[in-house]
Amino acid sequence: MFYLVAVTILWAFSFSLIGEYLAGSVDSYFSVLTRVLLASLVFLPFLKFSLLSAKQKLTLAFLGALQLGMMYIFFYHSFLYLSVPEVLLFTILTPLYVAMLNDALFKRFTPFHLLCALIAIFGAAIIRFDGISENFWTGFVIVQGANLCFALGQVGYRKLATTFQPGLAKHTIFAWFYLGALAVALPAFFIFGDTNRLPQTTSQWGVLLWLGIVASGLGYYFWNQGALKVSAGTLAIMNNALIPAGLVVNLLLWQRDTDFSRLALGGFIIAIALWLSQKRSKTTAG
């Protein structure tokens, strides 16, 4: 749980940095490629080739391609059809996908996890619902593609981890995850990227370094390790905890307009869902 909370705070700061220094000025595909490349370089020195079978390596790379590579491609394309509030609104379905996909992969059905995910979605909707434009269905479908990729990457890693040998040091094999994402991000930049919109300032390069090494490198690693230590219900809820956390950070750093009543109410509802999931997990374990 500590890993998930820490990464939530980390990513909350990262979204503010992207909005202030990169969005609208630096090509998004170059940003994604830089982040994935730097994250790969963080873990490549630790990579031990003999610890996983060929099937496990390919599966881990595939999960990285989904959770990081394809997710970003869907996510950035959605802004061609949707406003920022709409994109954020439509990401609130991710916890539902996490709960459903986790049950499907582990061949079980847990209604309580779905209930907690739905409660968290309701809380996030209160915070983020700002109205919907006339033509949004194309954008809605694209965002759901991003949500599904991110959710499947998380629960797929939980499933894959059950096949690892006991005591396996995850940092010695996690480079495969980023190499899979790189296999998607590199051709995406050459196909969709705009070389006329590369970083121009020291601040922009500094933000990219932070996002690549810390937010993407350490962030996705610890998020996925945290996903192994909590229930599927708690993991689903934590996917929406970033919304109130991101708003708080954005308010503190940039003094952006925020509806405090909706933030407090939505955050309280998400906290209730998290508490219910944690209580259920402890009861089941006991």
Side-chain angles (χ1 to χ4, degrees):
M1 186 64 185
F2 172 77
Y3 288 162
L4 298 181
V5 173
V7 175
T8 295
I9 297 172
L10 171 65
W11 284 347
F13 279 91
S14 297
F15 276 109
S16 291
L17 292 174
I18 293 171
E20 290 296 321
Y21 293 101
L22 301 180
S25 57
V26 177
D27 178 65
S28 58
Y29 292 98
F30 180 79
S31 297
V32 172
L33 175 60
T34 303
R35 293 180 65 170
V36 173
L37 179 60
L38 288 172
S40 301
L41 293 176
V42 170
F43 283 89
L44 275 175
F46 303 104
L47 183 61
K48 295 183 178 180
F49 290 84
S50 61
L51 296 180
L52 297 181
S53 67
K55 181 179 179 180
Q56 289 173 320
K57 293 173 186 175
L58 288 174
T59 302
L60 186 53
F62 175 72
L63 293 175
L66 274 179
Q67 187 179 343
L68 194 54
M70 289 302 300
M71 184 275 290
Y72 272 129
I73 289 177
F74 278 119
F75 183 72
Y76 282 114
H77 269 80
S78 68
F79 286 97
L80 299 176
Y81 303 92
L82 301 172
S83 66
V84 172
E86 288 168 345
V87 172
L88 292 170
L89 169 62
F90 294 151
T91 61
I92 66 175
L93 295 176
T94 305
L96 187 60
Y97 297 142
V98 170
M100 295 174 64
L101 288 170
N102 188 81
D103 282 349
L105 284 178
F106 286 90
K107 298 180 180 180
R108 63 193 180 208
F109 178 62
T110 311
F112 187 79
H113 288 165
L114 288 178
L115 174 62
C116 290
L118 288 171
I119 293 173
I121 288 172
F122 178 65
I126 290 176
I127 297 172
R128 268 301 178 188
F129 186 79
D130 292 313
I132 299 175
S133 62
E134 295 179 0
N135 302 314
F136 66 94
W137 288 116
T138 300
F140 176 83
V141 171
I142 293 174
V143 174
Q144 299 323 301
N147 293 344
L148 283 168
C149 287
F150 190 58
L152 187 56
Q154 295 174 73
V155 298
Y157 183 73
R158 283 165 59 91
K159 179 68 173 180
L160 177 63
T162 63
T163 68
F164 293 160
Q165 60 186 12
L168 175 68
K170 307 297 192 306
H171 69 280
T172 60
I173 52 96
F174 209 70
W176 295 112
F177 177 89
Y178 292 109
L179 290 175
L182 187 61
V184 173
L186 187 60
F189 171 68
F190 285 113
I191 296 172
F192 301 110
D194 183 358
T195 55
N196 294 317
R197 296 174 57 209
L198 300 182
Q200 301 295 321
T201 67
T202 302
S203 296
Q204 290 173 339
W205 281 110
V207 169
L208 283 175
L209 284 172
W210 166 267
L211 293 174
I213 296 172
V214 182
S216 292
L218 300 180
Y220 276 90
Y221 172 75
F222 284 110
W223 181 271
N224 281 287
Q225 304 322 308
L228 303 179
K229 302 177 183 297
V230 299
S231 69
T234 298
L235 177 62
I237 292 161
M238 288 304 297
N239 274 265
N240 265 356
L242 183 61
I243 294 176
L247 284 174
V248 169
V249 169
N250 193 256
L251 174 66
L252 292 175
L253 292 181
W254 315 111
Q255 292 80 46
R256 292 294 171 81
D257 293 334
T258 300
D259 189 326
F260 288 100
S261 60
R262 283 165 55 179
L263 176 61
L265 178 58
F268 178 70
I269 291 173
I270 292 175
I272 289 176
L274 181 60
W275 176 76
L276 288 173
S277 178
Q278 287 288 87
K279 183 178 180 180
R280 172 63 178 268
S281 298
K282 291 179 180 178
T283 302
T284 304

